[in-house]
Amino acid sequence: MAKRTLPRLLQTPAVVLLLIWMLVPLSMTLYFSFIRYVLVNFRKPEWATPSLSNWRGFGNYKYVLEAKDFWMAIQNSVLIVSSILVLTVILGLLIAVLINRTFPGRGIVRVLLISPFFVMPAVNAVLWINMILDPVLGLNGLAVSGLNELVAGLRDFPVIGGFFAMWPELHPISFRATQTSAYAVIMMVTWQWTPFAVLIFMTSLQSEDESQKEAAMLDGASAWSQFINLTVPHLARPIAIVVMIQSIFHLSLYAEIEIVSRGNGNKNLPYLIGEFTSNNIGAASATGIFAVILANIVAIFLLRMVGKSLMD
């Protein structure tokens, strides 16, 4: 007991500070979610102070649930997070397996592959929406314009001209539109976070048992069979960890949505909280509690998945 007491006493300040750092903001958010707290209200100026006399009960939660953008924000959050996770895991696996082999310049390739992860989210969004996805000046518009010119030139050929004459003129996609802005966010975040998955998977592949792969090759197993039956099971724990860490970060995306569409048909819960925070702190706090509940549901599911993977 004496040996345990000193380490616990030394850990106590850090634990207490961490609890205060977590519990105080959460408690204040919970308190604000049950009162009328509006920063600017000339009709009811008393609502501008977080007083207990402005108690509203579950009124803020009802207001948020009935808001026109709440359920769209939930669906958009799930769509964006799940799509990014699927794409980053698949691309990360493929790239990690490819660069795990020895080839000239492998060190430089690894550095270049990891570098997008260090780009700031706002810079990443500005580069993608203006230089790549812009329908006029970006690569999106230039590629479509070049393809139309190529098809127009092929229409003059005697044999294949008739086939290309039936091709319609292509138009670039505007990724700032309501229907496509979520896909722009998915693409740019996938590009930024795939190197993180590559780094985790590439490190784990260094410990893969090569004797099993050699035995599988002697038994006539194909490269695909080796990948599915040996490599993927070996990477089960890293995949679970990548999914858990990325889910935590992607549930709080904000800068990309703000830069791409200003929330026009493409809101998630953090963006909806930001809109409420401009005036209605009570509604923003209630939305924050919903976001905490959603994050905990996802975390419990992912922790179970990770725990099962570690036990296996």
Side-chain angles (χ1 to χ4, degrees):
M1 292 295 295
K3 292 181 180 180
R4 295 178 183 177
T5 302
L6 181 59
R8 289 177 179 176
L9 289 175
L10 295 175
Q11 295 171 1
T12 299
V15 173
V16 172
L17 183 62
L18 182 61
L19 287 175
I20 293 174
W21 185 31
M22 294 173 57
L23 294 179
V24 170
L26 181 60
S27 301
M28 293 178 65
T29 303
L30 190 62
Y31 170 67
F32 292 157
S33 69
F34 287 106
I35 64 174
R36 292 182 175 89
Y37 187 14
V38 182
L39 296 179
V40 180
N41 193 313
F42 298 104
R43 186 173 59 88
K44 294 285 186 178
E46 63 272 15
W47 289 359
T49 57
S51 174
L52 194 60
S53 60
N54 298 328
W55 185 262
R56 195 183 183 187
F58 290 97
N60 287 324
Y61 293 92
K62 182 180 178 181
Y63 173 79
V64 171
L65 288 173
E66 293 176 352
K68 63 176 182 179
D69 294 333
F70 176 74
W71 294 108
M72 181 192 71
I74 293 286
Q75 295 174 1
N76 212 40
S77 298
V78 174
L79 170 66
I80 291 175
V81 173
S82 58
S83 300
I84 294 172
L85 290 177
V86 171
L87 290 174
T88 52
V89 169
I90 294 176
L91 293 175
L93 279 173
L94 296 177
I95 296 173
V97 171
L98 286 176
I99 65 175
N100 190 47
R101 302 179 180 182
T102 303
F103 58 89
R106 185 173 67 169
I108 299 176
V109 171
R110 287 181 175 181
V111 173
L112 293 176
L113 283 172
I114 298 171
S115 57
F117 184 65
F118 300 101
V119 178
M120 295 178 62
V123 176
N124 175 37
V126 170
L127 289 175
W128 268 82
I129 200 63
N130 292 312
M131 297 182 64
I132 299 178
L133 300 179
D134 189 271
V136 178
L137 301 176
L139 293 179
N140 173 29
L142 296 176
V144 173
S145 177
L147 187 59
N148 286 331
E149 293 178 2
L150 177 62
V151 171
L154 292 173
R155 288 171 182 167
D156 298 330
F157 281 74
V159 179
I160 60 176
F163 172 74
F164 286 101
M166 297 184 295
W167 280 38
E169 184 178 359
L170 302 176
H171 300 280
I173 300 173
S174 176
F175 284 95
R176 293 184 184 272
T178 301
Q179 298 82 0
T180 55
S181 55
Y183 302 121
V185 174
I186 291 170
M187 283 189 286
M188 60 181 62
V189 178
T190 299
W191 175 80
Q192 186 176 26
W193 278 84
T194 297
F196 172 76
V198 172
L199 181 63
I200 299 298
F201 298 154
M202 187 173 58
T203 305
S204 300
L205 285 174
Q206 303 299 317
S207 62
E208 188 177 11
D209 190 358
E210 294 295 331
S211 61
Q212 291 184 348
K213 299 181 69 173
E214 293 175 359
M217 293 176 61
L218 292 175
D219 291 337
S222 62
W224 176 253
S225 179
Q226 295 177 39
F227 175 75
I228 293 298
N229 296 298
L230 295 178
T231 304
V232 173
H234 175 74
L235 295 175
R237 296 179 184 178
I239 290 174
I241 293 173
V242 166
V243 169
M244 182 179 66
I245 294 176
Q246 289 199 53
S247 298
I248 296 172
F249 280 92
H250 299 334
L251 283 171
S252 60
L253 288 177
Y254 184 90
E256 292 85 350
I257 294 176
E258 172 66 21
I259 292 172
V260 170
S261 62
R262 299 293 191 271
N264 182 23
N266 183 29
K267 298 175 184 177
N268 60 354
L269 283 177
Y271 196 91
L272 190 62
I273 293 171
E275 287 187 338
F276 284 136
T277 306
S278 62
N279 191 31
N280 195 339
I281 304 300
S285 300
T287 310
I289 297 300
F290 282 124
V292 170
I293 293 173
L294 177 63
N296 277 274
I297 292 173
V298 174
I300 291 172
F301 171 76
L302 294 175
L303 285 174
R304 286 178 178 270
M305 185 176 66
V306 173
K308 182 179 179 181
S309 174
L310 293 175
M311 290 299 295
D312 293 340

